[in-house]
């Protein structure tokens, strides 16, 4: 639904996670993070971003040097 709205309104967006559940909307020089199951009108999207390790890695990987953890 969010992507359809972005396309309709001409907003730029970036799908961060392959599931499509983590999307960054870019409008008027600002970025807004949306997580599919989060409430869009408060900071819960950001909370989910920091609580989910995979989403955190996908979002911050281009900016931060993130070490990959070895599974033992």
């Amino acid at each position: 639904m969010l992507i359809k709205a972005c396309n309709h309104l001409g907003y730029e967006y970036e799908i961060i996670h392959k599931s499509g559940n983590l999307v960054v909307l870019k409008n008027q020089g600002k970025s807004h993070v949306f997580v599919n199951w989060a409430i869009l009108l408060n900071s819960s999207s950001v909370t989910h971003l920091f609580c989910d390790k995979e989403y955190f890695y996908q979002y911050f990987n281009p900016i931060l040097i993130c070490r990959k953890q070895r599974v033992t």
Side-chain angles (χ1 to χ4, degrees):
M1 194 74 144
L2 174 65
I3 293 171
K4 285 183 181 181
C6 288
N7 289 333
H8 179 73
L9 296 171
Y11 290 164
E12 184 180 344
Y13 64 91
E14 181 179 358
I15 299 172
I16 302 295
H17 192 265
K18 61 186 173 189
S19 67
N21 288 333
L22 181 61
V23 178
V24 176
L25 168 68
K26 300 173 184 177
N27 185 29
Q28 299 178 349
K30 294 182 180 181
S31 294
H32 306 278
V33 178
F34 292 92
V35 178
N36 190 29
W37 63 84
I39 299 168
L40 302 179
L41 300 176
N42 62 25
S43 63
S44 67
S45 289
V46 176
T47 302
H48 285 294
L49 178 65
F50 285 101
C51 290
D52 189 298
K53 290 179 185 178
E54 186 174 356
Y55 284 1
F56 181 89
Y57 177 79
Q58 292 293 323
Y59 183 78
F60 286 106
N61 188 38
I63 327 171
L64 301 174
I65 299 171
C66 297
R67 289 182 16 193
K68 289 195 175 190
Q69 185 176 3
R70 286 186 278 167
V71 179
T72 56

